[in-house]
Amino acid sequence: MRKLSTCIGWIVAAAMALPVFAPQAAAQEFDFVQAIVKPQVNIERARHLRRLIRERGEDLLKRRMGAGATGTVYPLAYGEDGVEAVEAEAAEPKGINLWIDGNGGRLEDSHVLRGYDGTQYALSFGGDAQLSERVILGAIGVHSGTDIDNAFVPGGSSTRAFGLGPYAAVFLTDTVVMTGSLLRTWTDNRMNGLGVTAGYDSRDWMLNANVTSYHFAGNWQFAPTAGISYGVESEDGYVDSSATAFAASETRTGSFAFGGKIAYTHALANGMTVEPSLEAEGEWTFERTTTATTTLPRDEAEFDLTVTGGLDVAISDRTAFSLSGAVSGLAKPDYLSFTGGARLGVAF
């Protein structure tokens, strides 16, 4: 009987303590989302945008070379048998190019104390026009989102964002292209944990730039590249549903990337071309700071490696689409992300 009374006492005490513990645990979880999850999500988003803008530069290079730009060598100058193809009359450069890109995947941090996993996606669209022989200017719009579950306390977070900004490609030489973009994004952030909910708005600027050198040997293409990304996000202060107040915070992320791509272009009898490719990119995160606080260990890994496989198909000189798949986190302990995407471009 005495043991039964003791057990009942512990149960009653735990039940009375739960209302106090739950808000505190939820508050810790919200700190965790802002201090650990959000910076990594921003790094993932910057990596995708950096690669997307670099691919836009490559598409424009191919279009420009196909139009017979002075001094360039078209990558399909040689057929499959190694015999030099007959040079066709140069076409007029297309004035406007429109494109749409979809990308999605999973990310997971398996660290025993800060574990989380979830999905992310981005739908990007844009268009560009040629301002001069060597300068192309365009605009990009991005709708993106994440749904993340936290392992250490039951709960999670989600974001829904929309961004707009300019991008440009500048031909430093006939085969060296500098690309860059500046994106302004507005994000709706939602969090929940142990019955407590919270929401706040944030805004960020994200800069991406690349310099890529393209080299052709017959139907082979080699493209070493270097890039940089830098983002600053301002998060509003908020009060959660348990009346706990959180101060406004700022998150800064910066990465320097270096790597290369190898591709092989195969011409089909119907005039289409198919180009499989493999790309490896090392990434050094030189800044990952935030004014949000947490008692859990932060991700302090500075280096990462991403491997990407792709397939580009040129249906005609006006229409092309691409498929890609990538794995990141190959040089980071406890972390992996997998993404896949598709892109369609039409020139007018």
Side-chain angles (χ1 to χ4, degrees):
M1 180 65 70
R2 182 176 298 176
K3 291 183 178 180
L4 178 61
S5 300
T6 302
C7 290
I8 293 174
W10 278 110
I11 293 173
V12 172
M16 295 177 64
L18 184 60
V20 176
F21 168 76
Q24 292 177 343
Q28 173 59 53
E29 180 171 357
F30 298 161
D31 288 338
F32 166 85
V33 171
Q34 292 184 264
I36 297 179
V37 177
K38 201 66 181 292
Q40 184 60 42
V41 168
N42 288 354
I43 290 172
E44 289 277 353
R45 184 162 57 96
R47 182 186 300 129
H48 168 64
L49 285 169
R50 188 174 63 241
R51 184 171 185 271
L52 174 62
I53 297 302
R54 185 172 70 244
E55 289 173 340
R56 291 300 310 126
E58 181 177 331
D59 291 344
L60 297 169
L61 174 70
K62 291 177 180 177
R63 192 179 82 188
R64 186 170 181 267
M65 295 172 71
T70 303
T72 60
V73 179
Y74 189 62
L76 284 179
Y78 294 87
E80 292 298 319
D81 55 1
V83 178
E84 187 171 1
V86 177
E87 184 177 353
E89 182 179 351
E92 288 295 325
K94 309 302 184 296
I96 298 177
N97 193 76
L98 302 178
W99 55 271
I100 184 169
D101 179 279
N103 182 280
R106 290 191 60 82
L107 53 85
E108 177 181 1
D109 190 320
S110 58
H111 192 280
V112 65
L113 295 179
R114 63 163 185 265
Y116 60 89
D117 64 81
T119 60
Q120 57 182 334
Y121 70 87
L123 178 63
S124 309
F125 51 90
D128 50 70
Q130 189 165 339
L131 300 185
S132 68
E133 183 182 356
R134 293 187 177 273
V135 179
I136 291 172
L137 182 64
I140 180 176
V142 181
H143 171 64
S144 60
T146 61
D147 288 287
I148 307 295
D149 294 322
N150 304 331
F152 75 104
V153 173
S157 62
S158 64
T159 63
R160 297 294 180 267
F162 186 77
L164 289 171
Y167 70 89
V170 179
F171 295 89
L172 304 180
T173 71
D174 288 328
T175 55
V176 177
V177 185
M178 181 174 66
T179 55
S181 66
L182 182 62
L183 196 71
R184 177 65 164 175
T185 302
W186 297 263
T187 304
D188 176 44
N189 303 269
R190 302 290 173 178
M191 300 178 290
N192 66 87
L194 296 176
V196 181
T197 60
Y200 65 92
D201 295 327
S202 61
R203 299 150 302 282
D204 73 81
W205 288 101
M206 185 169 290
L207 170 69
N208 287 282
N210 306 275
V211 176
T212 308
S213 177
Y214 295 91
H215 306 269
F216 301 100
N219 288 36
W220 289 95
Q221 171 192 309
F222 305 91
T225 185
I228 190 170
S229 299
Y230 195 83
V232 180
E233 181 175 19
S234 299
E235 301 173 290
D236 292 344
Y238 61 94
V239 177
D240 67 19
S241 61
S242 70
T244 302
F246 295 79
S249 61
E250 181 181 85
T251 299
R252 293 176 177 263
T253 55
S255 299
F256 175 74
F258 48 92
K261 174 181 176 181
I262 181 171
Y264 183 84
T265 306
H266 175 66
L268 304 179
N270 59 4
M272 296 173 55
T273 63
V274 178
E275 183 181 279
S277 62
L278 183 64
E279 178 182 351
E281 181 182 70
E283 186 176 15
W284 169 45
T285 300
F286 60 83
E287 183 165 6
R288 190 206 311 255
T289 60
T290 177
T291 57
T293 61
T294 180
T295 59
L296 296 174
R298 300 174 186 264
D299 184 353
E300 297 181 351
E302 294 184 355
F303 296 97
D304 198 1
L305 174 65
T306 300
V307 174
T308 304
L311 180 67
D312 296 346
V313 179
I315 301 174
S316 69
D317 63 341
R318 294 180 179 271
T319 306
F321 74 89
S322 302
L323 302 173
S324 65
V327 56
S328 301
L330 296 176
K332 281 170 61 72
D334 308 316
Y335 183 82
L336 277 178
S337 70
F338 302 89
T339 58
R343 184 176 77 256
L344 174 67
V346 180
F348 297 93

